[in-house]
Amino acid sequence: MELFAAIGVQPQVVQALTELGFTAPTPVQEQVIPVLLRQEGDWISLAQTGTGKTAAFGIPLIQQIDPANSRTQALVLCPTRELCIQVARDLDAFARYLPGIKTLAVYGGARIDTQINALQRGVHLIVATPGRLNDLLRRGAADLSTLRTVVLDEADEMLNMGFLEEIGAILGQTPATRKTLLFSATMSREVATIAKKYMTAAKEILVGQRNSGAENVRHLYYMVRAQDRFQALKRVVDLHPDIYGIIFCRTRQETQEVADRLIQDGYRADALHGELAQGQRDMVMAKFRRRNLQLLVATDVAARGVDVNDLTHVINYNLPDDLAVYTHRSGRTGRAGKAGISISIIHQREGWRIKALERSINRSFEHGRVPSGREICANQIMHRISELCEQSVDFAGIEAILPAVVEKLADLDREELIRRFVAREAKGFLEYYAEAPDLDVREKGGEREQNTRKEPGRGKQWGAEQYTRFQVNVGKEDGILPQRLIAIINSSGGRQRIAIGKIELLRNLSFIEADSRFADNVLQAFQRLMINGKKVSIEIAGAGKGERGGFRRDTAGKPRTKWTGSSRPGAWKKRAN
């Protein structure tokens, strides 16, 4: 811990850091802590998420607090409630042996009267989200006139979330003599604008390269057809049995649908998005931090402030619209010196975006091949064998019956016993992936093509199917979407591939075409099903409801909304751990 003392950290804080498990300062801490302790003026620090920024600005803040002065002396602005709570908790931990320092987290979703009472009693350091602090300022409950230092943490995220006006209003009530510190993963045009407007001759502390990705993150992408995106996701997860990661989706709806399909297929996953109540968000995050969940499916906004250091993977189910957001996503893995993997699942028309990302973050991306069924099965088998070998076993309870077991197995030689064990353990995976197609899209001669090569032993490609038209008693008003209907049908086919034709959504009804050979499977899939509180019923659409496979038209003669697409095997047998 001498290294912390060498950069100006007080003995009381060093003691707290030791108890928290710190061993040596990170590069951003080495550069930022001495500057903030010994030099005045405004500073901009560009560093990735997970590099130790909170300690970099937090240690100087708490060491410069005067506990004898009850007025507010420092302010940290954070983009989200979760990050606000985390930063406040960390600052309290750093100041454990500096008695008398009072810190308050101010954020929306908590009782405002409790926060007002705490402010009236006096706090030295406020950690706040812009919206709630602005509300308290309008009520006259907060006083920033005595601030010495303001920290804008994750400034680019705050600006992406539309907090520019709130930040301006807050800084307008702080002294002109304040020191302003801006921390950001990227130096976007918006961040540069706020620095120019609200900071004076700010100096820059650059850790790594400007706007670059984290050094120890491997960037990988798979190119598939759009309709194969979910199956590619499942293969990535199946290839890594110990995966612990976040799957990023663009919309709340897609986030919930992906999570629902993963849960239905037996994966330990859940969704995190803006439509969840705060209690639900807290519950999901608590399960994820305890590793009761392996996969968190989230929107970018909902995942801001999620602070988990040991993620193995970040999976981009869709690339973000803003390339700068990719830096934040990928920066959630490969933290605290550990290696991480950022995987992007893209379709044929997104290759140019990978090139743009490479230029943006100064990192090369690997074009990977979607894992084959054979690779996944081999990986899963070896993982289970490793678990068996490493597991601590108490043999005392079986000693009495062991002679009988040995006698029972006496006719099986070692090789036969191993073969039977492996076949039993791998049965579910082998069956599921027995006819799994190659999902890769490869570029050939300038044209992007679906690789239809089958692995050895695979069956025929799909042929021309005869379709049956089904009527379901849920429609647009029930919040149903074509993807949800396809997912339900996917669950009914087991290893079989059920081809889906056209889907028509009406106000209170839906019509679906599916391979006639699996009509019973489709009918069974919707039995005892509830969608948004409504009991679902399904029947084969009879005569008089339009030509088989066709669609009714509205009074203007225009076809109603319809989708086409094909299903893929999606019914994963829930695996016993």
mmCIF file with all atom_site columns, all heavy atoms in Angstrom, residues 22 27-28 49 95 160 167 175 181 184 225 277 280 287 294 330 351-352 357 359 415 468 486 502 530 546:
data_model
loop_
_atom_site.group_PDB
_atom_site.id
_atom_site.type_symbol
_atom_site.label_atom_id
_atom_site.label_alt_id
_atom_site.label_comp_id
_atom_site.label_asym_id
_atom_site.label_entity_id
_atom_site.label_seq_id
_atom_site.pdbx_PDB_ins_code
_atom_site.Cartn_x
_atom_site.Cartn_y
_atom_site.Cartn_z
_atom_site.occupancy
_atom_site.B_iso_or_equiv
_atom_site.pdbx_formal_charge
_atom_site.auth_seq_id
_atom_site.auth_comp_id
_atom_site.auth_asym_id
_atom_site.auth_atom_id
_atom_site.pdbx_PDB_model_num
ATOM 1   N N   . PHE A 1 22  ? -8.018  -3.223  -2.019  1.00 0.00 ? 22  PHE A N   1
ATOM 2   C CA  . PHE A 1 22  ? -7.128  -2.517  -2.946  1.00 0.00 ? 22  PHE A CA  1
ATOM 3   C C   . PHE A 1 22  ? -5.685  -2.926  -2.636  1.00 0.00 ? 22  PHE A C   1
ATOM 4   O O   . PHE A 1 22  ? -5.291  -3.022  -1.471  1.00 0.00 ? 22  PHE A O   1
ATOM 5   C CB  . PHE A 1 22  ? -7.263  -1.005  -2.792  1.00 0.00 ? 22  PHE A CB  1
ATOM 6   C CG  . PHE A 1 22  ? -8.525  -0.418  -3.363  1.00 0.00 ? 22  PHE A CG  1
ATOM 7   C CD1 . PHE A 1 22  ? -9.757  -0.661  -2.770  1.00 0.00 ? 22  PHE A CD1 1
ATOM 8   C CD2 . PHE A 1 22  ? -8.478  0.371   -4.492  1.00 0.00 ? 22  PHE A CD2 1
ATOM 9   C CE1 . PHE A 1 22  ? -10.916 -0.123  -3.290  1.00 0.00 ? 22  PHE A CE1 1
ATOM 10  C CE2 . PHE A 1 22  ? -9.640  0.915   -5.024  1.00 0.00 ? 22  PHE A CE2 1
ATOM 11  C CZ  . PHE A 1 22  ? -10.864 0.673   -4.422  1.00 0.00 ? 22  PHE A CZ  1
ATOM 12  N N   . PRO A 1 27  ? -3.954  2.845   -13.258 1.00 0.00 ? 27  PRO A N   1
ATOM 13  C CA  . PRO A 1 27  ? -3.358  3.966   -14.008 1.00 0.00 ? 27  PRO A CA  1
ATOM 14  C C   . PRO A 1 27  ? -4.113  5.283   -13.860 1.00 0.00 ? 27  PRO A C   1
ATOM 15  O O   . PRO A 1 27  ? -3.493  6.342   -13.716 1.00 0.00 ? 27  PRO A O   1
ATOM 16  C CB  . PRO A 1 27  ? -3.380  3.456   -15.455 1.00 0.00 ? 27  PRO A CB  1
ATOM 17  C CG  . PRO A 1 27  ? -3.256  1.967   -15.314 1.00 0.00 ? 27  PRO A CG  1
ATOM 18  C CD  . PRO A 1 27  ? -4.033  1.625   -14.075 1.00 0.00 ? 27  PRO A CD  1
ATOM 19  N N   . VAL A 1 28  ? -5.462  5.231   -13.878 1.00 0.00 ? 28  VAL A N   1
ATOM 20  C CA  . VAL A 1 28  ? -6.209  6.482   -13.763 1.00 0.00 ? 28  VAL A CA  1
ATOM 21  C C   . VAL A 1 28  ? -6.042  7.071   -12.367 1.00 0.00 ? 28  VAL A C   1
ATOM 22  O O   . VAL A 1 28  ? -5.954  8.297   -12.198 1.00 0.00 ? 28  VAL A O   1
ATOM 23  C CB  . VAL A 1 28  ? -7.703  6.281   -14.119 1.00 0.00 ? 28  VAL A CB  1
ATOM 24  C CG1 . VAL A 1 28  ? -8.422  5.407   -13.098 1.00 0.00 ? 28  VAL A CG1 1
ATOM 25  C CG2 . VAL A 1 28  ? -8.417  7.620   -14.242 1.00 0.00 ? 28  VAL A CG2 1
ATOM 26  N N   . THR A 1 49  ? -14.941 3.028   -18.385 1.00 0.00 ? 49  THR A N   1
ATOM 27  C CA  . THR A 1 49  ? -15.687 2.509   -17.245 1.00 0.00 ? 49  THR A CA  1
ATOM 28  C C   . THR A 1 49  ? -14.944 1.312   -16.661 1.00 0.00 ? 49  THR A C   1
ATOM 29  O O   . THR A 1 49  ? -14.414 0.484   -17.388 1.00 0.00 ? 49  THR A O   1
ATOM 30  C CB  . THR A 1 49  ? -17.101 2.072   -17.687 1.00 0.00 ? 49  THR A CB  1
ATOM 31  O OG1 . THR A 1 49  ? -17.762 3.193   -18.256 1.00 0.00 ? 49  THR A OG1 1
ATOM 32  C CG2 . THR A 1 49  ? -17.894 1.544   -16.520 1.00 0.00 ? 49  THR A CG2 1
ATOM 33  N N   . ALA A 1 95  ? -13.996 6.861   3.317   1.00 0.00 ? 95  ALA A N   1
ATOM 34  C CA  . ALA A 1 95  ? -13.904 7.791   4.446   1.00 0.00 ? 95  ALA A CA  1
ATOM 35  C C   . ALA A 1 95  ? -14.172 7.116   5.789   1.00 0.00 ? 95  ALA A C   1
ATOM 36  O O   . ALA A 1 95  ? -14.400 7.802   6.794   1.00 0.00 ? 95  ALA A O   1
ATOM 37  C CB  . ALA A 1 95  ? -14.877 8.944   4.244   1.00 0.00 ? 95  ALA A CB  1
ATOM 38  N N   . ASN A 1 160 ? -26.056 12.101  -23.061 1.00 0.00 ? 160 ASN A N   1
ATOM 39  C CA  . ASN A 1 160 ? -26.847 11.198  -23.904 1.00 0.00 ? 160 ASN A CA  1
ATOM 40  C C   . ASN A 1 160 ? -28.265 11.032  -23.372 1.00 0.00 ? 160 ASN A C   1
ATOM 41  O O   . ASN A 1 160 ? -29.204 10.785  -24.125 1.00 0.00 ? 160 ASN A O   1
ATOM 42  C CB  . ASN A 1 160 ? -26.177 9.824   -23.983 1.00 0.00 ? 160 ASN A CB  1
ATOM 43  C CG  . ASN A 1 160 ? -24.931 9.828   -24.847 1.00 0.00 ? 160 ASN A CG  1
ATOM 44  O OD1 . ASN A 1 160 ? -24.765 10.710  -25.687 1.00 0.00 ? 160 ASN A OD1 1
ATOM 45  N ND2 . ASN A 1 160 ? -24.045 8.867   -24.624 1.00 0.00 ? 160 ASN A ND2 1
ATOM 46  N N   . ILE A 1 167 ? -27.999 20.130  -15.947 1.00 0.00 ? 167 ILE A N   1
ATOM 47  C CA  . ILE A 1 167 ? -26.615 20.379  -15.537 1.00 0.00 ? 167 ILE A CA  1
ATOM 48  C C   . ILE A 1 167 ? -26.325 21.878  -15.548 1.00 0.00 ? 167 ILE A C   1
ATOM 49  O O   . ILE A 1 167 ? -25.711 22.417  -14.620 1.00 0.00 ? 167 ILE A O   1
ATOM 50  C CB  . ILE A 1 167 ? -25.636 19.625  -16.453 1.00 0.00 ? 167 ILE A CB  1
ATOM 51  C CG1 . ILE A 1 167 ? -25.773 18.103  -16.249 1.00 0.00 ? 167 ILE A CG1 1
ATOM 52  C CG2 . ILE A 1 167 ? -24.195 20.049  -16.191 1.00 0.00 ? 167 ILE A CG2 1
ATOM 53  C CD1 . ILE A 1 167 ? -24.995 17.277  -17.246 1.00 0.00 ? 167 ILE A CD1 1
ATOM 54  N N   . PRO A 1 175 ? -20.623 28.409  -6.936  1.00 0.00 ? 175 PRO A N   1
ATOM 55  C CA  . PRO A 1 175 ? -19.706 29.566  -6.985  1.00 0.00 ? 175 PRO A CA  1
ATOM 56  C C   . PRO A 1 175 ? -18.819 29.549  -8.232  1.00 0.00 ? 175 PRO A C   1
ATOM 57  O O   . PRO A 1 175 ? -18.430 28.474  -8.716  1.00 0.00 ? 175 PRO A O   1
ATOM 58  C CB  . PRO A 1 175 ? -18.847 29.388  -5.726  1.00 0.00 ? 175 PRO A CB  1
ATOM 59  C CG  . PRO A 1 175 ? -19.609 28.450  -4.847  1.00 0.00 ? 175 PRO A CG  1
ATOM 60  C CD  . PRO A 1 175 ? -20.380 27.549  -5.766  1.00 0.00 ? 175 PRO A CD  1
ATOM 61  N N   . LEU A 1 181 ? -14.425 19.064  -12.152 1.00 0.00 ? 181 LEU A N   1
ATOM 62  C CA  . LEU A 1 181 ? -13.760 17.864  -12.664 1.00 0.00 ? 181 LEU A CA  1
ATOM 63  C C   . LEU A 1 181 ? -14.746 17.106  -13.535 1.00 0.00 ? 181 LEU A C   1
ATOM 64  O O   . LEU A 1 181 ? -15.866 16.819  -13.097 1.00 0.00 ? 181 LEU A O   1
ATOM 65  C CB  . LEU A 1 181 ? -13.296 16.975  -11.509 1.00 0.00 ? 181 LEU A CB  1
ATOM 66  C CG  . LEU A 1 181 ? -12.597 17.675  -10.341 1.00 0.00 ? 181 LEU A CG  1
ATOM 67  C CD1 . LEU A 1 181 ? -12.347 16.691  -9.207  1.00 0.00 ? 181 LEU A CD1 1
ATOM 68  C CD2 . LEU A 1 181 ? -11.288 18.294  -10.809 1.00 0.00 ? 181 LEU A CD2 1
ATOM 69  N N   . SER A 1 184 ? -15.195 11.180  -18.191 1.00 0.00 ? 184 SER A N   1
ATOM 70  C CA  . SER A 1 184 ? -15.965 10.657  -19.305 1.00 0.00 ? 184 SER A CA  1
ATOM 71  C C   . SER A 1 184 ? -15.192 9.538   -19.994 1.00 0.00 ? 184 SER A C   1
ATOM 72  O O   . SER A 1 184 ? -13.954 9.546   -20.012 1.00 0.00 ? 184 SER A O   1
ATOM 73  C CB  . SER A 1 184 ? -16.270 11.776  -20.309 1.00 0.00 ? 184 SER A CB  1
ATOM 74  O OG  . SER A 1 184 ? -17.019 11.306  -21.399 1.00 0.00 ? 184 SER A OG  1
ATOM 75  N N   . ARG A 1 225 ? -28.057 -14.185 -40.629 1.00 0.00 ? 225 ARG A N   1
ATOM 76  C CA  . ARG A 1 225 ? -29.287 -13.597 -41.137 1.00 0.00 ? 225 ARG A CA  1
ATOM 77  C C   . ARG A 1 225 ? -30.088 -13.041 -39.959 1.00 0.00 ? 225 ARG A C   1
ATOM 78  O O   . ARG A 1 225 ? -30.011 -13.555 -38.842 1.00 0.00 ? 225 ARG A O   1
ATOM 79  C CB  . ARG A 1 225 ? -30.111 -14.631 -41.899 1.00 0.00 ? 225 ARG A CB  1
ATOM 80  C CG  . ARG A 1 225 ? -29.431 -15.114 -43.164 1.00 0.00 ? 225 ARG A CG  1
ATOM 81  C CD  . ARG A 1 225 ? -30.364 -15.943 -44.013 1.00 0.00 ? 225 ARG A CD  1
ATOM 82  N NE  . ARG A 1 225 ? -30.857 -17.106 -43.297 1.00 0.00 ? 225 ARG A NE  1
ATOM 83  C CZ  . ARG A 1 225 ? -31.728 -17.974 -43.808 1.00 0.00 ? 225 ARG A CZ  1
ATOM 84  N NH1 . ARG A 1 225 ? -32.203 -17.782 -45.021 1.00 0.00 ? 225 ARG A NH1 1
ATOM 85  N NH2 . ARG A 1 225 ? -32.117 -19.013 -43.114 1.00 0.00 ? 225 ARG A NH2 1
ATOM 86  N N   . ALA A 1 277 ? -40.834 -1.362  -12.463 1.00 0.00 ? 277 ALA A N   1
ATOM 87  C CA  . ALA A 1 277 ? -40.881 -0.519  -11.275 1.00 0.00 ? 277 ALA A CA  1
ATOM 88  C C   . ALA A 1 277 ? -39.545 -0.605  -10.554 1.00 0.00 ? 277 ALA A C   1
ATOM 89  O O   . ALA A 1 277 ? -38.791 -1.558  -10.746 1.00 0.00 ? 277 ALA A O   1
ATOM 90  C CB  . ALA A 1 277 ? -42.022 -0.978  -10.359 1.00 0.00 ? 277 ALA A CB  1
ATOM 91  N N   . GLN A 1 280 ? -38.851 -3.811  -8.811  1.00 0.00 ? 280 GLN A N   1
ATOM 92  C CA  . GLN A 1 280 ? -38.511 -4.902  -9.731  1.00 0.00 ? 280 GLN A CA  1
ATOM 93  C C   . GLN A 1 280 ? -37.064 -4.786  -10.202 1.00 0.00 ? 280 GLN A C   1
ATOM 94  O O   . GLN A 1 280 ? -36.348 -5.789  -10.289 1.00 0.00 ? 280 GLN A O   1
ATOM 95  C CB  . GLN A 1 280 ? -39.454 -4.878  -10.939 1.00 0.00 ? 280 GLN A CB  1
ATOM 96  C CG  . GLN A 1 280 ? -40.894 -5.213  -10.617 1.00 0.00 ? 280 GLN A CG  1
ATOM 97  C CD  . GLN A 1 280 ? -41.798 -5.025  -11.830 1.00 0.00 ? 280 GLN A CD  1
ATOM 98  O OE1 . GLN A 1 280 ? -41.874 -3.937  -12.411 1.00 0.00 ? 280 GLN A OE1 1
ATOM 99  N NE2 . GLN A 1 280 ? -42.470 -6.084  -12.215 1.00 0.00 ? 280 GLN A NE2 1
ATOM 100 N N   . LYS A 1 287 ? -30.434 -10.259 -7.811  1.00 0.00 ? 287 LYS A N   1
ATOM 101 C CA  . LYS A 1 287 ? -30.241 -11.640 -8.292  1.00 0.00 ? 287 LYS A CA  1
ATOM 102 C C   . LYS A 1 287 ? -29.020 -11.732 -9.196  1.00 0.00 ? 287 LYS A C   1
ATOM 103 O O   . LYS A 1 287 ? -28.268 -12.700 -9.144  1.00 0.00 ? 287 LYS A O   1
ATOM 104 C CB  . LYS A 1 287 ? -31.495 -12.119 -9.042  1.00 0.00 ? 287 LYS A CB  1
ATOM 105 C CG  . LYS A 1 287 ? -32.688 -12.367 -8.154  1.00 0.00 ? 287 LYS A CG  1
ATOM 106 C CD  . LYS A 1 287 ? -33.789 -13.114 -8.892  1.00 0.00 ? 287 LYS A CD  1
ATOM 107 C CE  . LYS A 1 287 ? -34.370 -12.288 -10.015 1.00 0.00 ? 287 LYS A CE  1
ATOM 108 N NZ  . LYS A 1 287 ? -35.484 -13.002 -10.702 1.00 0.00 ? 287 LYS A NZ  1
ATOM 109 N N   . GLN A 1 294 ? -27.334 -15.657 -14.743 1.00 0.00 ? 294 GLN A N   1
ATOM 110 C CA  . GLN A 1 294 ? -26.115 -15.606 -15.553 1.00 0.00 ? 294 GLN A CA  1
ATOM 111 C C   . GLN A 1 294 ? -26.177 -14.496 -16.582 1.00 0.00 ? 294 GLN A C   1
ATOM 112 O O   . GLN A 1 294 ? -25.155 -13.936 -16.956 1.00 0.00 ? 294 GLN A O   1
ATOM 113 C CB  . GLN A 1 294 ? -25.911 -16.937 -16.284 1.00 0.00 ? 294 GLN A CB  1
ATOM 114 C CG  . GLN A 1 294 ? -25.216 -18.014 -15.475 1.00 0.00 ? 294 GLN A CG  1
ATOM 115 C CD  . GLN A 1 294 ? -24.870 -19.195 -16.355 1.00 0.00 ? 294 GLN A CD  1
ATOM 116 O OE1 . GLN A 1 294 ? -25.757 -19.932 -16.797 1.00 0.00 ? 294 GLN A OE1 1
ATOM 117 N NE2 . GLN A 1 294 ? -23.595 -19.395 -16.611 1.00 0.00 ? 294 GLN A NE2 1
ATOM 118 N N   . SER A 1 330 ? -19.038 -2.205  -24.110 1.00 0.00 ? 330 SER A N   1
ATOM 119 C CA  . SER A 1 330 ? -17.891 -3.111  -24.038 1.00 0.00 ? 330 SER A CA  1
ATOM 120 C C   . SER A 1 330 ? -17.058 -2.866  -22.794 1.00 0.00 ? 330 SER A C   1
ATOM 121 O O   . SER A 1 330 ? -16.410 -3.784  -22.278 1.00 0.00 ? 330 SER A O   1
ATOM 122 C CB  . SER A 1 330 ? -17.019 -2.981  -25.293 1.00 0.00 ? 330 SER A CB  1
ATOM 123 O OG  . SER A 1 330 ? -16.518 -1.667  -25.430 1.00 0.00 ? 330 SER A OG  1
ATOM 124 N N   . GLY A 1 351 ? -21.949 -4.865  -41.914 1.00 0.00 ? 351 GLY A N   1
ATOM 125 C CA  . GLY A 1 351 ? -20.497 -4.994  -41.920 1.00 0.00 ? 351 GLY A CA  1
ATOM 126 C C   . GLY A 1 351 ? -19.781 -3.653  -41.866 1.00 0.00 ? 351 GLY A C   1
ATOM 127 O O   . GLY A 1 351 ? -18.748 -3.510  -41.202 1.00 0.00 ? 351 GLY A O   1
ATOM 128 N N   . TRP A 1 352 ? -20.343 -2.634  -42.528 1.00 0.00 ? 352 TRP A N   1
ATOM 129 C CA  . TRP A 1 352 ? -19.715 -1.308  -42.543 1.00 0.00 ? 352 TRP A CA  1
ATOM 130 C C   . TRP A 1 352 ? -19.658 -0.703  -41.147 1.00 0.00 ? 352 TRP A C   1
ATOM 131 O O   . TRP A 1 352 ? -18.752 0.075   -40.823 1.00 0.00 ? 352 TRP A O   1
ATOM 132 C CB  . TRP A 1 352 ? -20.486 -0.368  -43.465 1.00 0.00 ? 352 TRP A CB  1
ATOM 133 C CG  . TRP A 1 352 ? -21.880 -0.042  -42.993 1.00 0.00 ? 352 TRP A CG  1
ATOM 134 C CD1 . TRP A 1 352 ? -23.020 -0.735  -43.244 1.00 0.00 ? 352 TRP A CD1 1
ATOM 135 C CD2 . TRP A 1 352 ? -22.262 1.065   -42.163 1.00 0.00 ? 352 TRP A CD2 1
ATOM 136 N NE1 . TRP A 1 352 ? -24.093 -0.144  -42.622 1.00 0.00 ? 352 TRP A NE1 1
ATOM 137 C CE2 . TRP A 1 352 ? -23.658 0.967   -41.961 1.00 0.00 ? 352 TRP A CE2 1
ATOM 138 C CE3 . TRP A 1 352 ? -21.571 2.121   -41.572 1.00 0.00 ? 352 TRP A CE3 1
ATOM 139 C CZ2 . TRP A 1 352 ? -24.375 1.878   -41.193 1.00 0.00 ? 352 TRP A CZ2 1
ATOM 140 C CZ3 . TRP A 1 352 ? -22.290 3.039   -40.798 1.00 0.00 ? 352 TRP A CZ3 1
ATOM 141 C CH2 . TRP A 1 352 ? -23.672 2.913   -40.622 1.00 0.00 ? 352 TRP A CH2 1
ATOM 142 N N   . LEU A 1 357 ? -16.728 1.137   -36.166 1.00 0.00 ? 357 LEU A N   1
ATOM 143 C CA  . LEU A 1 357 ? -16.390 0.936   -34.755 1.00 0.00 ? 357 LEU A CA  1
ATOM 144 C C   . LEU A 1 357 ? -14.890 0.752   -34.575 1.00 0.00 ? 357 LEU A C   1
ATOM 145 O O   . LEU A 1 357 ? -14.303 1.264   -33.609 1.00 0.00 ? 357 LEU A O   1
ATOM 146 C CB  . LEU A 1 357 ? -17.135 -0.282  -34.195 1.00 0.00 ? 357 LEU A CB  1
ATOM 147 C CG  . LEU A 1 357 ? -18.577 -0.053  -33.742 1.00 0.00 ? 357 LEU A CG  1
ATOM 148 C CD1 . LEU A 1 357 ? -19.242 -1.381  -33.406 1.00 0.00 ? 357 LEU A CD1 1
ATOM 149 C CD2 . LEU A 1 357 ? -18.623 0.881   -32.541 1.00 0.00 ? 357 LEU A CD2 1
ATOM 150 N N   . ARG A 1 359 ? -12.547 2.009   -36.305 1.00 0.00 ? 359 ARG A N   1
ATOM 151 C CA  . ARG A 1 359 ? -11.911 3.335   -36.392 1.00 0.00 ? 359 ARG A CA  1
ATOM 152 C C   . ARG A 1 359 ? -12.209 4.168   -35.144 1.00 0.00 ? 359 ARG A C   1
ATOM 153 O O   . ARG A 1 359 ? -11.352 4.899   -34.658 1.00 0.00 ? 359 ARG A O   1
ATOM 154 C CB  . ARG A 1 359 ? -12.403 4.074   -37.644 1.00 0.00 ? 359 ARG A CB  1
ATOM 155 C CG  . ARG A 1 359 ? -11.950 3.457   -38.957 1.00 0.00 ? 359 ARG A CG  1
ATOM 156 C CD  . ARG A 1 359 ? -12.240 4.382   -40.124 1.00 0.00 ? 359 ARG A CD  1
ATOM 157 N NE  . ARG A 1 359 ? -13.665 4.622   -40.287 1.00 0.00 ? 359 ARG A NE  1
ATOM 158 C CZ  . ARG A 1 359 ? -14.469 3.870   -41.048 1.00 0.00 ? 359 ARG A CZ  1
ATOM 159 N NH1 . ARG A 1 359 ? -13.968 2.830   -41.710 1.00 0.00 ? 359 ARG A NH1 1
ATOM 160 N NH2 . ARG A 1 359 ? -15.749 4.160   -41.160 1.00 0.00 ? 359 ARG A NH2 1
ATOM 161 N N   . GLU A 1 415 ? -13.399 -48.080 -20.409 1.00 0.00 ? 415 GLU A N   1
ATOM 162 C CA  . GLU A 1 415 ? -13.790 -47.313 -21.596 1.00 0.00 ? 415 GLU A CA  1
ATOM 163 C C   . GLU A 1 415 ? -15.304 -47.310 -21.783 1.00 0.00 ? 415 GLU A C   1
ATOM 164 O O   . GLU A 1 415 ? -15.897 -46.286 -22.117 1.00 0.00 ? 415 GLU A O   1
ATOM 165 C CB  . GLU A 1 415 ? -13.102 -47.894 -22.833 1.00 0.00 ? 415 GLU A CB  1
ATOM 166 C CG  . GLU A 1 415 ? -13.332 -47.064 -24.095 1.00 0.00 ? 415 GLU A CG  1
ATOM 167 C CD  . GLU A 1 415 ? -12.535 -47.575 -25.275 1.00 0.00 ? 415 GLU A CD  1
ATOM 168 O OE1 . GLU A 1 415 ? -11.507 -48.264 -25.053 1.00 0.00 ? 415 GLU A OE1 1
ATOM 169 O OE2 . GLU A 1 415 ? -12.942 -47.279 -26.405 1.00 0.00 ? 415 GLU A OE2 1
ATOM 170 N N   . THR A 1 468 ? -51.154 -24.447 -42.722 1.00 0.00 ? 468 THR A N   1
ATOM 171 C CA  . THR A 1 468 ? -52.472 -24.354 -42.112 1.00 0.00 ? 468 THR A CA  1
ATOM 172 C C   . THR A 1 468 ? -52.582 -22.986 -41.465 1.00 0.00 ? 468 THR A C   1
ATOM 173 O O   . THR A 1 468 ? -51.613 -22.484 -40.883 1.00 0.00 ? 468 THR A O   1
ATOM 174 C CB  . THR A 1 468 ? -52.666 -25.447 -41.041 1.00 0.00 ? 468 THR A CB  1
ATOM 175 O OG1 . THR A 1 468 ? -52.633 -26.714 -41.678 1.00 0.00 ? 468 THR A OG1 1
ATOM 176 C CG2 . THR A 1 468 ? -53.984 -25.271 -40.298 1.00 0.00 ? 468 THR A CG2 1
ATOM 177 N N   . ILE A 1 486 ? -44.142 -16.185 -32.872 1.00 0.00 ? 486 ILE A N   1
ATOM 178 C CA  . ILE A 1 486 ? -43.126 -17.099 -33.401 1.00 0.00 ? 486 ILE A CA  1
ATOM 179 C C   . ILE A 1 486 ? -42.429 -17.833 -32.266 1.00 0.00 ? 486 ILE A C   1
ATOM 180 O O   . ILE A 1 486 ? -42.172 -19.033 -32.335 1.00 0.00 ? 486 ILE A O   1
ATOM 181 C CB  . ILE A 1 486 ? -42.099 -16.324 -34.263 1.00 0.00 ? 486 ILE A CB  1
ATOM 182 C CG1 . ILE A 1 486 ? -42.770 -15.814 -35.546 1.00 0.00 ? 486 ILE A CG1 1
ATOM 183 C CG2 . ILE A 1 486 ? -40.904 -17.191 -34.610 1.00 0.00 ? 486 ILE A CG2 1
ATOM 184 C CD1 . ILE A 1 486 ? -41.912 -14.873 -36.363 1.00 0.00 ? 486 ILE A CD1 1
ATOM 185 N N   . LYS A 1 502 ? -47.227 -16.538 -43.179 1.00 0.00 ? 502 LYS A N   1
ATOM 186 C CA  . LYS A 1 502 ? -47.616 -15.148 -42.935 1.00 0.00 ? 502 LYS A CA  1
ATOM 187 C C   . LYS A 1 502 ? -48.287 -15.009 -41.569 1.00 0.00 ? 502 LYS A C   1
ATOM 188 O O   . LYS A 1 502 ? -48.920 -15.932 -41.073 1.00 0.00 ? 502 LYS A O   1
ATOM 189 C CB  . LYS A 1 502 ? -48.577 -14.679 -44.036 1.00 0.00 ? 502 LYS A CB  1
ATOM 190 C CG  . LYS A 1 502 ? -47.947 -14.694 -45.420 1.00 0.00 ? 502 LYS A CG  1
ATOM 191 C CD  . LYS A 1 502 ? -48.967 -14.347 -46.492 1.00 0.00 ? 502 LYS A CD  1
ATOM 192 C CE  . LYS A 1 502 ? -48.335 -14.433 -47.882 1.00 0.00 ? 502 LYS A CE  1
ATOM 193 N NZ  . LYS A 1 502 ? -49.326 -14.176 -48.954 1.00 0.00 ? 502 LYS A NZ  1
ATOM 194 N N   . MET A 1 530 ? -51.468 -17.679 -20.972 1.00 0.00 ? 530 MET A N   1
ATOM 195 C CA  . MET A 1 530 ? -52.010 -16.357 -20.646 1.00 0.00 ? 530 MET A CA  1
ATOM 196 C C   . MET A 1 530 ? -51.088 -15.302 -21.256 1.00 0.00 ? 530 MET A C   1
ATOM 197 O O   . MET A 1 530 ? -49.867 -15.379 -21.122 1.00 0.00 ? 530 MET A O   1
ATOM 198 C CB  . MET A 1 530 ? -52.074 -16.158 -19.134 1.00 0.00 ? 530 MET A CB  1
ATOM 199 C CG  . MET A 1 530 ? -52.966 -17.143 -18.398 1.00 0.00 ? 530 MET A CG  1
ATOM 200 S SD  . MET A 1 530 ? -54.721 -16.785 -18.604 1.00 0.00 ? 530 MET A SD  1
ATOM 201 C CE  . MET A 1 530 ? -54.890 -15.305 -17.612 1.00 0.00 ? 530 MET A CE  1
ATOM 202 N N   . GLY A 1 546 ? -61.550 -16.343 -45.410 1.00 0.00 ? 546 GLY A N   1
ATOM 203 C CA  . GLY A 1 546 ? -60.520 -15.995 -46.387 1.00 0.00 ? 546 GLY A CA  1
ATOM 204 C C   . GLY A 1 546 ? -59.920 -17.245 -46.969 1.00 0.00 ? 546 GLY A C   1
ATOM 205 O O   . GLY A 1 546 ? -59.946 -18.313 -46.401 1.00 0.00 ? 546 GLY A O   1
#
